[in-house]
């Protein structure tokens, strides 16, 4: 519709983050170096262009920097297959000349990615990643499940890697990060149990929620986001954006603070 004479298109600012969630208690993914290697394998630009049709922008962090308290000076993980292979080699996962899959002490480097079958885009991304992982010697198996089964699996921590989405405005950062301290809400709590200072992360989140000082709240959230980034618990893929196609007869089209609402009450019609 971009070149249409009758319709206009518009994209909102980032409203939530499409992610991969890595289980730090898994016998393979408990190795932080392996998690960091996977960060370098994900080609976000290609996913954005050919799967998401440029309706979402490549993401560098768990929360977009337009989210309050989220701009904390983190360094993105770059797409770099050479660096990924180097890290895998150093971690002891060896790729033999006559084998496609890396091995360590006789065990194949095999990871399963879980996704919600209610979200067909997650399957497309998983299938793309399956081919990319194979290039560096990782076998990626796909497990698609219906919505409730998928959520139960994440909550129970019975997964290795999973497609995931942050909560979006207006639930970020407070509600989204606050839920990470509870084992009964989605899979964040379970996925983070292998992080050495998980208790300190939870304490910092709770301090941020309780604080009436902007500086103290910022410092606590900074610590949390830095630790989650350094531990490579999440792999950001893209920032989701609300999108709208509308007749040129409609004026004052805008987006709401909440990603779940469209403020049609503000629209004017000629």
């Amino acid at each position: 519709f971009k070149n249409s004479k009758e319709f206009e298109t518009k994209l909102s600012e980032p409203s939530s983050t499409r992610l991969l969630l890595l289980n730090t208690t898994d016998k393979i993914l408990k190795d932080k170096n392996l998690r960091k290697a996977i960060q370098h394998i994900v080609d976000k630009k290609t996913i954005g262009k050919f799967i998401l049709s440029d309706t979402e922008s490549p993401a560098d962090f768990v929360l977009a920097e337009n989210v309050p308290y989220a701009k904390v000076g983190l360094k993105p993980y770059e797409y770099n297959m050479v660096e990924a292979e180097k890290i895998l080699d150093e971690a002891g996962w060896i790729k033999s000349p006559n084998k496609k899959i890396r091995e360590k002490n006789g065990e194949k480097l095999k990871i399963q990615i879980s996704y919600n079958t209610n979200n067909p885009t997650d399957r497309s991304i998983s299938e793309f990643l399956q081919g990319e992982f194979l290039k560096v010697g990782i076998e990626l198996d796909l497990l698609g499940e219906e919505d409730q089964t998928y959520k139960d699996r994440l909550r129970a921590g019975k997964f290795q890697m999973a497609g995931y989405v942050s909560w979006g405005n207006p639930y970020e950062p407070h509600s989204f990060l606050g839920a990470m301290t509870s084992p009964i809400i989605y899979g964040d709590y379970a996925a983070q149990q292998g992080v050495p200072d998980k208790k300190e992360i939870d304490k910092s989140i709770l301090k941020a929620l309780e604080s009436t000082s902007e500086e103290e709240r910022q410092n606590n959230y900074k610590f949390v986001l830095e630790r989650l980034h350094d531990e490579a618990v999440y792999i950001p893929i893209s920032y989701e954006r609300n999108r709208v196609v509308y007749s040129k007869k409609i004026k004052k089209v805008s987006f709401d603070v909440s990603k779940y609402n469209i403020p049609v009450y503000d629209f004017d019609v000629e």
Side-chain angles (χ1 to χ4, degrees):
F1 293 97
K2 278 187 177 181
N3 300 317
S4 171
K5 294 181 179 179
E6 297 181 32
F7 295 94
E8 294 275 7
T9 62
K10 185 174 286 190
L11 287 174
S12 72
E13 290 296 308
S15 57
S16 55
T17 310
R18 187 185 297 276
L19 307 154
L20 295 176
L21 179 61
L22 306 185
N23 191 342
T24 60
T25 67
D26 177 73
K27 66 176 183 178
I28 292 177
L29 293 175
K30 66 181 180 181
D31 182 352
K32 181 169 75 171
N33 289 324
L34 179 54
R35 299 196 301 270
K36 288 195 172 187
I38 295 174
Q39 292 273 358
H40 294 294
I41 298 171
V42 180
D43 185 355
K44 302 168 187 179
K45 290 184 179 179
T46 296
I47 291 172
K49 182 176 181 179
F50 294 103
I51 297 178
L52 303 173
S53 302
D54 289 328
T55 58
E56 301 177 17
S57 53
D60 290 323
F61 312 115
V62 173
L63 296 177
E65 291 188 329
N66 66 321
V67 172
Y69 310 106
K71 193 171 184 178
V72 294
L74 300 174
K75 182 180 179 182
Y77 291 97
E78 296 180 351
Y79 171 61
N80 189 331
M81 287 290 209
V82 175
E83 180 66 17
E85 296 209 72
K86 178 184 174 183
I87 296 173
L88 291 171
D89 288 340
E90 292 174 350
W93 292 99
I94 306 304
K95 190 176 183 181
S96 303
N98 60 336
K99 294 181 179 179
K100 290 184 178 180
I101 307 302
R102 290 175 180 269
E103 294 183 359
K104 183 178 183 179
N105 300 325
E107 181 181 8
K108 288 185 176 181
L109 183 46
K110 185 177 179 179
I111 299 172
Q112 184 181 76
I113 181 170
S114 301
Y115 67 91
N116 189 334
T117 53
N118 285 14
N119 302 322
T121 300
D122 286 354
R123 178 180 177 86
S124 298
I125 291 174
S126 298
E127 289 174 338
F128 171 75
L129 292 175
Q130 190 174 48
E132 294 295 286
F133 277 44
L134 188 59
K135 291 177 183 178
V136 297
I138 301 176
E139 182 177 345
L140 187 65
D141 290 340
L142 276 57
L143 177 64
E145 296 176 303
E146 60 86 25
D147 185 67
Q148 192 56 55
T149 304
Y150 158 83
K151 289 178 179 176
D152 289 345
R153 177 180 296 280
L154 264 61
R155 196 160 28 236
K158 296 179 179 179
F159 69 97
Q160 289 184 287
M161 182 163 68
Y164 200 56
V165 178
S166 71
W167 291 18
N169 299 330
Y171 304 105
E172 295 174 355
H174 309 302
S175 297
F176 176 59
L177 295 181
M180 293 179 182
T181 66
S182 172
I184 63 173
I185 305 177
Y186 300 127
D188 303 270
Y189 181 86
Q192 295 172 21
Q193 288 305 300
V195 176
D197 54 351
K198 167 60 175 168
K199 290 183 179 179
E200 292 303 314
I201 291 173
D202 286 355
K203 286 180 182 178
S204 294
I205 292 172
L206 295 176
K207 284 180 182 178
L209 293 173
E210 295 168 355
S211 178
T212 57
S213 164
E214 285 291 313
E215 183 179 1
E216 183 181 359
R217 187 181 298 120
Q218 179 66 77
N219 289 338
N220 278 293
Y221 278 146
K222 184 175 188 291
F223 171 76
V224 171
L225 295 173
E226 286 177 340
R227 293 300 299 122
L228 294 177
H229 186 74
D230 182 65
E231 289 291 329
V233 182
Y234 300 85
I235 301 179
I237 294 179
S238 63
Y239 295 126
E240 294 188 317
R241 298 170 182 261
N242 281 350
R243 47 195 181 272
V244 61
V245 178
Y246 58 96
S247 168
K248 290 186 176 181
K249 295 179 180 179
I250 301 176
K251 306 299 180 183
K252 296 183 179 180
V253 174
S254 61
F255 296 97
D256 196 72
V257 173
S258 171
K259 68 170 286 187
Y260 304 100
N261 297 323
I262 298 293
V264 293
Y265 42 79
D266 287 338
F267 296 0
D268 282 343
V269 180
E270 287 185 344

